[in-house]
Amino acid sequence: MTNYSWRGGSGDLTQAANWIIPAVGTSPAPTAPGAGDSVTFDLPSNPSATPGGTLSGNAAYSVLTVGAGSTAPYTFAGQVTTNLAYVASVAVLASGATLKFGSTGTTSTYRLQIAESASGQSAPGGSLTVAAGATLDGGAQSGAGVALDGGTGTLTINGIARFATADSTASASLSVGRTGTGTVAVSGAGASLALTGGFYAGRAKGSSGTVTVSNGAALTETALSGDGVEVGGGSTISGTLSSGGTGAFNVLSGGKASVASQLDVGTQGSTGTVTVTDAGSTLTLGSYLTVGTGTLATGGTGTVSVLAGASVKMTAAADTSRNYLIAGGQPGTTGTITVSGTGSLLDVGTNNASIGSVGTGTLTVSAGGTLRAASADSTVRSALFVGGNAGSNGTVTVAGAGSSITASGNVYFGRAGAGTLLVDAGGSFTGGQAATGTGTG
């Protein structure tokens, strides 16, 4: 492998005169780099370079690095393929351009890393923008990491992006803010992010990860065995669990998101929030949703808000073997669910809800919001549990004209914990046979 550096400014990637080989000197390279070579676009490797520029031509590399030292963007206008891609300053894929990464290598490594240098060290920052009409493609096995090891990383998708993992036990398809501050924004009609395997947002102590889908854009996650989606969860670093990160997943202004894996919000001692807001914004879940959970670290605080006419719909087939909407899933955890605003809907489908399952759970439906839950067999599992297990505390409130909770099946308050129902100011609660247990209901 030969290491090349861009000479600076705009130019054609296929022209040897636009490159130098730093190990040899500053004269133009005799040939342009190829598929087995490493290329760098930055100032430290070539101090005489003009920062930024438009890069035309089609090319293939082994390692591509947009290095630190330039605030001017490097704009790729052609079709580029690379095994590894690192962005430690500012990069743009122009309309019509394609960056395909992850051609070879192990499935456990994030083949695209933002706010990371080629040496595997965190960079102070890095941003990549995928313009409308551009494509960022990880193929069938390669994922992306944004602020994996510190720094501040931003990925903006106005075009099309695809990430994947072939081994969901080793890595997710997308990790945002593992130890640093990461942001992924998918925005605009026609913009899309397709993920094969789960994703993480905000993991280790002090980290922050945010994923936002807005303005008619779409995010689709396809489940793999053993994976999941974590919004605010711990990360094992050098064999030790680090928890206390902050994660957020937002679906706004007509955004559409579909998550096939289980969704855990605020897990392993971390804090997570999911917000779905504005008419036309939808989140579809193919598995269960746990708000405040985790067994490996104390605590876990999760918040889910469905607001201003948005909807969250759970589509899993009827299953009485487990709870599907869970708030406060483990001892010491806290889960808060709010459905508020005319037309706002949280529909658990043919499965049940457990508020205060083991920890503390709160459900509030107000200002014309609606929650629906059900049970295919209430003799096995009630449609709604409030205060399920010993030591738990669950509170359900429905208030305001047009606000409603419908439990198609039996309801259980204080089965072994403390369960409270408050119906106020024109709210409506409809359920089957009600029961209380050994707790307080």
Side-chain angles (χ1 to χ4, degrees):
M1 178 188 294
T2 301
N3 298 318
Y4 287 76
S5 287
W6 186 249
R7 293 188 70 195
S10 300
D12 189 331
L13 297 173
T14 65
Q15 299 301 307
N18 291 325
W19 297 95
I20 66 170
I21 301 174
V24 175
T26 58
S27 299
T31 60
D37 297 318
S38 171
V39 298
T40 301
F41 303 85
D42 70 356
L43 298 183
S45 65
N46 184 17
S48 63
T50 300
T54 298
L55 312 172
S56 60
N58 303 331
Y61 308 117
S62 178
V63 181
L64 183 154
T65 301
V66 179
S70 174
T71 57
Y74 290 92
T75 301
F76 294 85
Q79 317 302 307
V80 177
T81 300
T82 184
N83 180 31
L84 290 166
Y86 299 94
V87 179
S89 56
V90 186
V92 176
L93 296 185
S95 180
T98 297
L99 174 60
K100 186 170 184 179
F101 62 92
S103 54
T104 61
T106 62
T107 60
S108 61
T109 301
Y110 294 106
R111 306 272 98 183
L112 168 65
Q113 298 183 18
I114 299 174
E116 198 91 4
S117 67
S119 61
Q121 301 296 317
S122 65
S127 71
L128 172 61
T129 298
V130 182
T135 300
L136 178 63
D137 190 359
Q141 69 175 29
S142 297
V146 182
L148 288 173
D149 298 309
T152 300
T154 302
L155 172 60
T156 302
I157 301 168
N158 304 125
I160 296 171
R162 294 184 287 264
F163 308 142
T165 177
D167 183 1
S168 57
T169 63
S171 64
S173 61
L174 173 66
S175 181
V176 185
R178 184 174 66 185
T179 64
T181 299
T183 302
V184 173
V186 190
S187 181
S192 66
L193 172 58
L195 304 173
T196 301
F199 69 88
Y200 307 138
R203 305 207 77 194
K205 184 176 181 180
S207 69
S208 174
T210 302
V211 177
T212 300
V213 184
S214 65
N215 298 312
L219 180 152
T220 303
E221 186 265 348
T222 301
L224 295 177
S225 177
D227 69 355
V229 174
E230 289 184 2
V231 180
S235 180
T236 300
I237 300 173
S238 301
T240 301
L241 177 68
S242 177
S243 61
T246 301
F249 181 29
N250 305 311
V251 184
L252 317 172
S253 303
K256 313 288 184 185
S258 176
V259 173
S261 299
Q262 72 271 16
L263 173 57
D264 294 327
V265 184
T267 181
Q268 314 299 5
S270 295
T271 299
T273 61
V274 171
T275 302
V276 187
T277 186
D278 305 318
S281 299
T282 62
L283 172 59
T284 303
L285 302 176
S287 188
Y288 55 89
L289 167 61
T290 302
V291 187
T293 188
T295 59
L296 301 179
T298 302
T301 301
T303 302
V304 170
S305 300
V306 187
L307 309 171
S311 68
V312 174
K313 296 183 179 181
M314 303 174 70
T315 61
D319 180 6
T320 57
S321 68
R322 59 161 299 123
N323 299 318
Y324 267 75
L325 173 63
I326 306 156
Q330 294 294 333
T333 62
T334 301
T336 302
I337 301 170
T338 300
V339 185
S340 183
T342 301
S344 299
L345 171 65
L346 174 49
D347 189 350
V348 193
T350 57
N351 289 300
N352 81 321
S354 180
I355 309 302
S357 179
V358 184
T360 298
T362 302
L363 167 66
T364 302
V365 180
S366 65
T370 299
L371 179 131
R372 295 196 290 257
S375 175
D377 185 351
S378 287
T379 64
V380 177
R381 190 171 296 274
S382 294
L384 176 64
F385 283 118
V386 183
N389 293 284
S392 66
N393 192 323
T395 302
V396 171
T397 301
V398 54
S403 304
S404 67
I405 295 176
T406 301
S408 299
N410 294 347
V411 295
Y412 218 138
F413 295 93
R415 185 181 67 171
T420 302
L421 171 65
L422 301 172
V423 182
D424 193 19
S428 170
F429 181 91
T430 303
Q433 181 178 340
T436 58
T438 58
T440 302

